[in-house]
Amino acid sequence: MNLMSHLIVAPILLPLFTAACMLLLGEKHRPLKARINLCSTLIGLCISIALLLWTQQQSSPASIGVYLPSNWQVPFGIVLVADRLSALMLVLTGVIASCALLFAMARWDRAGSSFHALFQIQLMGLYGAFLTADLFNLFVFFEVLLAASYGLMLHGSGKARVSAGLHYIAINLLASSLFLIGAALIYGVTGTLNMADLAFKIPLVPEADRGLLHAGAAILAIAFLAKAGMWPLNFWLVPAYSAASAPVAALFAIMTKVGIYTVLRLWTLLFSGQAGASAYFGSDWLIYGGMATIVCAAIAILAAQRLERMASLSILVSAGILLSAVGFAQPNLISAALFYLVSSTLALSALFLLAELIERSRSSSESLIEEDAEALPTLVEPPPRGSNLDDEQKVVVGQIIPWAMAFLGLSFIACALLIIGMPPLSGFIGKLSLLNALLNPAGLGTDINAPISTAAWCLFTLLILSGLASLIAFSRMGIQRFWTPLERPSPILRRLECVPIVLLLGLCIALTLKAEPLLRYTQAAADTLNNPERYVMAVMGARPVPSPEGKAALEEFKP
């Protein structure tokens, strides 16, 4: 086992030890805790990038790294797996977490206690959920990230936040209970919870037990789809995400992707074309449930009056698109969906941060949190020296737009273009790839006369109509926030609040310029998902490391 294999467990252990250290420091050392949190998050991001590069550079069998934390034989012990899909999700989590933390360090981390420790525990749960290869261990990491999210959801207090937080907690506790019930049913039928072992045993399940297996899978799917935001299980998401503080909501943008990642991982692994009588179980539910989510969210976004609510509804639109794409079980469509997932998640995180700054001048509660002395002044030209003009006469035609409003306006336009899917940014490339994959169900270079299903045409139409609904909603919001002639003071922006937005939007621009390498990467990840035997062979072929005593015993038996 080489050094890179040991690096698989590092994204989980690093935030665990960091959170423990910050809890020992107490609340008297918040500046120190903020710096430790930032350093740990950036190191975790570097580790994730190293794992992504490692999986990309390896040959096909070796592109899946397996680590046995308990050093037990598979499938009896805990297993962590890093492949192209999980490494991509790790990097995306690290990027969003770093930007959300930078934004929070401007002022939000002082709005309550234990913010930094909860932040690291949240990262531990996210990283663990993406790396685990065992259903029960997945449940453990789900509970870790949810327990931290409960505290982060309530961070900053307020009646609306507490009310939405209580609903959020109740729904997730119910989903966790369904998770356990579904896992128990699957274990009762197959005798294992290891994902690779499940993929091996599901085709061998007797016909008499297959109904119980499908019932357990359906109950498990309800828990995951509630977290992913599928209609009608998503009624809790918009109030909760809209009420959360800006950095927490930005981090929560990756939370729905945990549910989508789990559905994609388990469905392509357990119910692939090699699953026998259970092949593609539930595909129609994913396709049409995702479409229903798109329709409901697109209609609701037309009625949204606040930017935070629009961002939350846009998460549901993207979730519906991704779930429908997964249900088609086409590698080229899943590849396009993964590219769209990266672009839309970065844009939505930036929009949550931007919404806080845009709404600040309209809110009377800005003084509830202690202001930082470091701020970016608005660039308004002073009156000429010696002028006798009073305040009402200082407004002249041709006055320079304040820096703050120019930054907010341009950032809003960039976020809108990315979420709507209009050229020239990466959101357009993502949606165009999805549309192309729907019109070429067998992939490029194949029979152009291959039939296109009715469901594919429906999703094709909804992709265009949902983009049109978002265009109308964002255009109206932009007119209300930036063109309406109301006399409002320009908001005060801090450097730590602007830098994360610039970084997230800059990454989206980089995706636009370098879309081909990411599309090649997502295509390789989709091909691996479409051939689950690679994953199964890599996990089932992992062997524990012999102890020193065992090695000595083996040496004695050598001729």
Side-chain angles (χ1 to χ4, degrees), residues 184-248:
L185 289 173
I186 291 176
Y187 181 79
V189 174
T190 61
T192 183
L193 289 177
N194 183 278
M195 296 178 187
D197 199 26
L198 282 170
F200 179 76
K201 290 184 176 180
I202 282 179
L204 307 177
V205 172
E207 190 63 31
D209 295 336
R210 197 163 295 278
L212 190 60
L213 170 69
H214 289 174
I219 294 174
L220 202 63
I222 292 174
F224 296 144
L225 294 175
K227 299 176 190 296
M230 177 183 277
W231 183 87
L233 307 172
N234 55 14
F235 60 90
W236 58 271
L237 190 145
V238 174
Y241 284 30
S242 301
S245 62
V248 172

Side-chain angles (χ1 to χ4, degrees), residues 15 19 23 116-126 144-145 147-148:
L23 288 174
H116 295 289
L118 289 171
F119 193 92
Q120 285 295 310
I121 296 173
Q122 175 89 57
L123 287 183
M124 174 191 169
L126 289 170
V144 169
L145 69 90

Side-chain angles (χ1 to χ4, degrees), residues 48 51-52 55 82-92 521:
S48 302
L51 288 172
L52 183 142
T55 58
D83 62 354
R84 288 186 174 93
L85 176 59
S86 57
L88 179 65
M89 299 305 296
L90 291 179
V91 173
L92 183 61
Y521 185 92

Side-chain angles (χ1 to χ4, degrees), residues 324-339:
S324 293
V326 170
F328 281 95
Q330 299 172 8
N332 57 333
L333 186 57
I334 291 177
S335 171
L338 291 177
F339 183 94

Side-chain angles (χ1 to χ4, degrees), residues 186-480:
I186 291 176
Y187 181 79
V189 174
T190 61
T192 183
L193 289 177
N194 183 278
M195 296 178 187
D197 199 26
L198 282 170
F200 179 76
K201 290 184 176 180
I202 282 179
L204 307 177
V205 172
E207 190 63 31
D209 295 336
R210 197 163 295 278
L212 190 60
L213 170 69
H214 289 174
I219 294 174
L220 202 63
I222 292 174
F224 296 144
L225 294 175
K227 299 176 190 296
M230 177 183 277
W231 183 87
L233 307 172
N234 55 14
F235 60 90
W236 58 271
L237 190 145
V238 174
Y241 284 30
S242 301
S245 62
V248 172
L251 183 61
F252 280 9
I254 196 69
M255 289 274 284
T256 55
K257 305 308 183 290
V258 177
I260 293 171
Y261 164 86
T262 308
V263 171
L264 175 60
R265 170 72 72 191
L266 292 179
W267 193 73
T268 56
L269 190 60
L270 307 186
F271 301 105
S272 65
Q274 292 81 29
S278 298
Y280 305 119
F281 169 72
S283 60
D284 290 341
W285 287 97
L286 288 176
I287 294 173
Y288 293 106
M291 291 184 189
T293 305
I294 298 172
V295 171
C296 294
I299 293 174
I301 205 171
L302 292 172
Q305 299 297 319
R306 292 188 61 84
L307 199 51
E308 298 93 337
R309 189 171 180 85
M310 285 182 59
S312 303
L313 290 167
S314 297
I315 285 182
L316 295 182
V317 173
S318 67
I321 293 172
L322 293 170
L323 290 171
S324 293
V326 170
F328 281 95
Q330 299 172 8
N332 57 333
L333 186 57
I334 291 177
S335 171
L338 291 177
F339 183 94
Y340 172 76
L341 182 150
V342 174
S343 174
S344 63
T345 306
L346 293 174
L348 289 168
S349 296
L351 184 60
F352 275 116
L353 300 180
L354 189 64
E356 155 79 11
L357 304 183
I358 292 176
E359 299 292 343
R360 180 175 297 172
S361 63
R362 301 168 57 88
S363 174
S364 60
S365 60
E366 183 180 355
S367 61
L368 293 179
I369 300 177
E370 180 183 358
E371 296 292 343
D372 194 341
E374 181 188 10
L376 294 177
T378 57
L379 303 181
V380 182
E381 287 188 338
R385 183 174 298 177
S387 173
N388 294 323
L389 295 176
D390 56 23
D391 292 339
E392 294 182 357
Q393 295 173 317
K394 290 178 184 177
V395 180
V396 295
V397 177
Q399 182 179 356
I400 297 177
I401 299 175
W403 181 93
M405 295 307 297
F407 171 79
L408 295 179
L410 292 175
S411 299
F412 177 83
I413 292 173
C415 286
L417 292 176
L418 286 165
I419 294 170
I420 295 167
M422 295 183 65
L425 299 181
S426 58
F428 171 73
I429 299 176
K431 285 200 172 181
L432 184 63
S433 300
L434 288 168
L435 295 174
N436 179 70
L438 288 171
L439 295 180
N440 297 276
L444 295 176
T446 57
D447 183 12
I448 60 174
N449 296 320
I452 302 173
S453 64
T454 303
W457 282 116
C458 291
L459 182 57
F460 185 95
T461 304
L462 288 177
L463 280 170
I464 297 175
L465 293 180
S466 63
L468 179 60
S470 297
L471 174 62
I472 295 172
F474 276 96
S475 299
R476 184 188 66 237
M477 186 65 66
I479 292 173
Q480 292 175 351

